[in-house]
Amino acid sequence: MRKSEFARAVDDQFGEAYGRVLLRDLVMSAVGERTAEQALSAGVPPRDVWLALCDAEGVPESRRHGAGLPTPKR
């Protein structure tokens, strides 16, 4: 997962405004007691941060994988 895909997944799942609040304020033990922003800045892979965020917010498994990928062109 790229950072751009991570950002798209957060916006799609949580909405732009609430997603930004989560990235800035939610401290997650799965990424070293950091927020998502801090974890990404520290070099934690975006996929690991995404999965930690999903765990913390109770996102169903069915909405976690493939999130953030652009819609395929036909």
Side-chain angles (χ1 to χ4, degrees):
M1 174 178 263
R2 295 181 174 136
K3 284 186 180 182
S4 61
E5 294 167 342
F6 172 82
R8 189 178 305 122
V10 170
D11 287 349
D12 289 349
Q13 180 63 42
F14 303 108
E16 188 175 332
Y18 185 57
R20 298 296 159 244
V21 170
L22 288 175
L23 296 180
R24 185 186 66 230
D25 295 340
L26 179 65
V27 175
M28 300 173 288
S29 60
V31 290
E33 299 299 330
R34 300 178 183 132
T35 66
E37 286 181 351
Q38 291 168 336
L40 291 170
S41 292
V44 177
R47 180 146 186 84
D48 293 347
V49 178
W50 169 246
L51 293 175
L53 186 58
C54 288
D55 284 343
E57 288 296 299
V59 175
E61 289 283 328
S62 62
R63 296 195 46 91
R64 295 179 185 200
H65 303 287
L69 294 176
T71 305
K73 295 179 183 176
R74 290 189 163 196

